[in-house]
Amino acid sequence: MSVPKSIVRRYLKLLAPGTPLRAGIDRILHGGTGALVVLGNNNRVQQVCSGGFQIGVECTEQALRELAKLDGAIILSSDLSRIVAAGVHLVPAGDLPTAETGTRHRSADRTAQAAGVPVLTVSASMSTISLFIDGRRHVVETVPQVISRANQTLATLSRVVTRLSDLMDQFTALELGEQVTLRDLTHVVHRLELTRRLSAEMQFHADVLGVEGRMVAMQHAELASAFDGVAELLTEDYAANLEDPTEFDLTRLHNFAPEELFAAQLVAQRLGFGGNANLEQGLTTRGIRLLTKVGRLPSPLVTRLVERFSLQELFGASVADLMEVEGIGPLRARQIRDAMLRIAETN
């Protein structure tokens, strides 16, 4: 049974550079001593513990380094803020399955299975940090390794965001001409889902890098802002094309395999249009996404505008027509009118 990614991610984030736990682990590595650290304390942990010393002190990098010199394991509290015990001999059941051959790694693997908490090992000879969770070993990568993968992901995300931006411009032109088809919509949401996945992977790298990932985190934030909120706006614009608008849910694509995302018919089905939907059928938009380009329009005002005008009527609306909508005065009406003209001219 695979370990949920959220669990692994949580502990890798706690081991990110700049965190107290990682600072202590790095001190142990630099000191040339290994370590066995149990990341949590409960009754099951106590059942596999034998001997050692009850410590009960704050978990600091200095304390971790000094206590790692003792033979045996270090036991941390469940919130990882205190060192409960040190020099502990771990005695999990010997019949628990493990592929590990080294004494420390084998003990860590079986303890993690028996106690239900992660166990960390530091190998001085190999200069590696390993995290054992529920019978699986996760190697904690070095900062240069993670930065290299982060940069690769960032480059890929940049290309995909550029392509998504171009696709959205084309999509906007189709909306203005009332020519959007279901196939066009599936192309957009497919590219949007790819972007979301790459962004999530990039965020994971930034979390694991901790203080070392500030630069890539800033670059990622800039790229992510380009498509922030687009999924919600598309839902507001196109859910009304279904008999049951609640069926239109882009989160249903999150568990699609990569190859399934390229199948327009499958994407259309998952969005609620049915397995035999005609991909060339025309769709109508409420125009909410386009109105967000006007800038600083309150959400209630956008709602009133799309309820009062169709998209085509909105582009043809005069200042006087716009002023008939509650909350729109002469100045705002002219701003909306000028913005809609600019959108039409640029598309």
Side-chain angles (χ1 to χ4, degrees):
M1 188 179 194
S2 62
V3 182
K5 289 183 178 180
S6 59
I7 300 295
V8 178
R9 179 170 182 164
R10 176 195 167 199
Y11 283 98
L12 289 179
K13 189 173 181 179
L14 289 170
L15 287 166
T19 61
L21 184 56
R22 181 57 177 267
I25 296 302
D26 286 341
R27 280 197 177 215
I28 294 171
L29 275 174
H30 295 156
T33 56
L36 184 58
V37 185
V38 180
L39 304 181
N41 185 34
N42 56 34
N43 290 334
R44 292 164 66 186
V45 170
Q46 293 302 314
Q47 289 172 5
V48 299
C49 289
S50 176
F53 305 94
Q54 296 299 308
I55 304 295
V57 299
E58 182 183 357
C59 181
T60 64
E61 56 187 275
Q62 296 86 353
L64 278 174
R65 168 70 182 95
E66 292 304 315
L67 292 173
K69 296 176 183 179
L70 297 174
D71 288 335
I74 297 172
I75 312 297
L76 301 185
S77 60
S78 295
D79 62 0
L80 309 184
S81 66
R82 300 185 68 77
I83 299 175
V84 177
V88 175
H89 180 47
L90 299 177
V91 287
D95 58 353
L96 289 172
T98 178
E100 301 299 331
T101 56
T103 302
R104 181 179 288 136
H105 287 164
R106 187 167 62 243
S107 180
D109 190 8
R110 285 175 171 160
T111 298
Q113 295 179 60
V117 297
V119 180
L120 187 74
T121 63
V122 181
S123 174
S125 59
M126 300 293 292
S127 295
T128 58
I129 306 170
S130 299
L131 184 65
F132 290 87
I133 304 178
D134 291 338
R136 291 184 178 272
R137 179 184 182 185
H138 306 271
V139 176
V140 180
E141 295 179 303
T142 65
V143 169
Q145 287 173 326
V146 181
I147 286 181
S148 176
R149 290 200 295 113
N151 285 331
Q152 291 175 9
T153 304
L154 200 61
T156 304
L157 178 60
S158 178
R159 291 193 295 271
V160 173
V161 167
T162 298
R163 176 60 184 135
L164 175 62
S165 180
D166 292 341
L167 191 60
M168 292 306 299
D169 288 341
Q170 297 170 19
F171 193 69
T172 297
L174 291 172
E175 287 181 324
L176 294 178
E178 297 183 305
Q179 297 176 325
V180 174
T181 66
L182 180 55
R183 187 183 299 278
D184 297 321
L185 180 62
T186 61
H187 286 169
V188 168
V189 298
H190 154 247
R191 184 64 57 173
L192 189 62
E193 174 61 15
L194 287 180
T195 306
R196 185 201 66 80
R197 294 184 185 190
L198 283 169
S199 180
E201 183 178 340
M202 190 60 235
Q203 185 60 54
F204 172 72
H205 295 327
D207 287 344
V208 171
L209 284 169
V211 296
E212 300 291 341
R214 285 172 292 192
M215 186 60 69
V216 294
M218 286 190 293
Q219 292 174 287
H220 170 234
E222 184 177 359
L223 286 172
S225 65
F227 58 91
D228 185 39
V230 173
E232 291 76 11
L233 293 173
L234 286 174
T235 299
E236 290 190 68
D237 274 343
Y238 289 94
N241 286 274
L242 297 174
E243 290 185 9
D244 182 2
T246 62
E247 288 294 309
F248 192 98
D249 185 359
L250 297 186
T251 63
R252 293 178 177 177
L253 302 179
H254 290 1
N255 63 352
F256 254 29
E259 60 273 11
E260 290 178 314
L261 278 177
F262 286 93
Q265 199 73 55
L266 285 176
V267 173
Q269 180 180 2
R270 187 58 64 93
L271 292 179
F273 288 92
N276 298 315
N278 177 13
L279 294 177
E280 307 309 323
Q281 73 181 79
L283 301 178
T284 57
T285 176
R286 297 179 67 199
I288 294 177
R289 186 181 64 86
L290 284 175
L291 278 174
T292 61
K293 295 185 177 184
V294 172
R296 293 195 295 274
L297 281 183
S299 179
L301 188 55
V302 171
T303 300
R304 288 197 290 271
L305 281 169
V306 298
E307 287 176 349
R308 171 66 175 80
F309 302 102
S310 69
L311 184 59
Q312 293 304 312
E313 289 173 342
L314 194 56
F315 276 99
S318 65
V319 170
D321 293 332
L322 292 170
M323 288 176 59
E324 293 178 3
V325 177
E326 181 185 353
I328 297 181
L331 178 59
R332 176 160 276 173
R334 284 193 294 271
Q335 290 175 337
I336 295 173
R337 174 63 179 162
D338 292 345
M340 298 305 288
L341 288 174
R342 286 195 297 272
I343 293 173
E345 290 171 357
T346 56
N347 289 277

